[in-house]
Amino acid sequence: DGGITQSPKYLFRKEGQNVTLSCEQNLNHDAMYWYRQDPGQGLRLIYYSQIVNDFQKGDIAEGYSVSREKKESFPLTVTSAQKNPTAFYLCASRDLGLQGGETQYFGPGTRLLVL
Amino acid sequence: GQQLNQSPQSMFIQEGEDVSMNCTSSSIFNTWLWYKQEPGEGPVLLIALYKAGELTSNGRLTAQFGITRKDSFLNISASIPSDVGIYFCAGPGSGGSNYKLTFGKGTLLTVNP
């Protein structure tokens, strides 16, 4: 069954703690993305990766880090430098369709809460 | 940077009614995507549009890529309670990086049975 999986579904972070959110895809997509979603603000891009061992900062990268050691995996670390980490985090991967269009598919999300 | 204006922000309708929402951009798009997100879940792709003027249907959903390439609309006919959710438009634009999407802020749809 092809798709994108994210774990855990819920994650609790203590003050000063780094936490890592997992994202795995078996769609053979080259590009992967991390978004943050806050109420009323839509989706904001944190980081993206077009190929293995390469990634780029998005619009709100401060306080986050990523790695892309394997094509199917793109973990996101929320560091202690991120002062307002409570949000819904979405991972996506990209399919360049036959028409040359841009289509991204999303995982089910991880909700991060601060204790 | 590119901006997407999506309207309306929210809608409250009765079951059986038709729904229309739209997005306009400040620059030309070469792709328009429409997603639906249910509470606590990730967005699900509904319809992808790749050519100006294109009209595409998916069941009771119909979306069109505007001729000017700066707008798109999504219609839902004969709404049912399971249509409840947030509907997002998105597009990569034609300038700058083609690897990033710009998203509208969403239309929250509530359907009263």
Side-chain angles (χ1 to χ4, degrees), chain B residues 14-70:
Chain B
Q14 293 295 125
E15 183 176 359
E17 289 183 3
D18 296 344
V19 171
S20 184
M21 60 192 78
N22 69 84
C23 270
T24 58
S25 69
S26 56
S27 58
I28 290 173
F29 276 21
N30 52 29
T31 299
W32 280 100
L33 306 171
W34 284 94
Y35 291 89
K36 178 189 177 186
Q37 185 178 27
E38 297 187 11
E41 301 295 331
V44 174
L45 182 68
L46 299 173
I47 293 177
L49 301 163
Y50 300 112
K51 293 194 315 183
E54 181 180 357
L55 183 72
T56 298
S57 294
N58 178 7
R60 293 177 296 105
L61 278 62
T62 301
Q64 184 159 29
F65 194 142
I67 291 292
T68 65
R69 296 172 64 192
K70 290 187 176 183

Side-chain angles (χ1 to χ4, degrees), chain A residues 49-97:
Chain A
S49 168
Q50 298 175 28
I51 58 172
V52 174
N53 292 322
D54 183 64
F55 47 83
Q56 309 294 328
K57 292 183 178 180
D59 301 317
I60 54 166
E62 185 175 351
Y64 300 98
S65 66
V66 294
S67 64
R68 186 87 187 276
E69 297 177 2
K70 298 186 297 183
K71 186 176 184 178
E72 58 270 22
S73 179
F74 191 40
L76 173 74
T77 297
V78 183
T79 74
S80 57
Q82 173 50 244
K83 299 306 179 188
N84 184 24
T86 297
F88 192 48
Y89 290 87
L90 288 161
C91 178
S93 67
R94 181 177 69 91
D95 171 30
L96 188 61

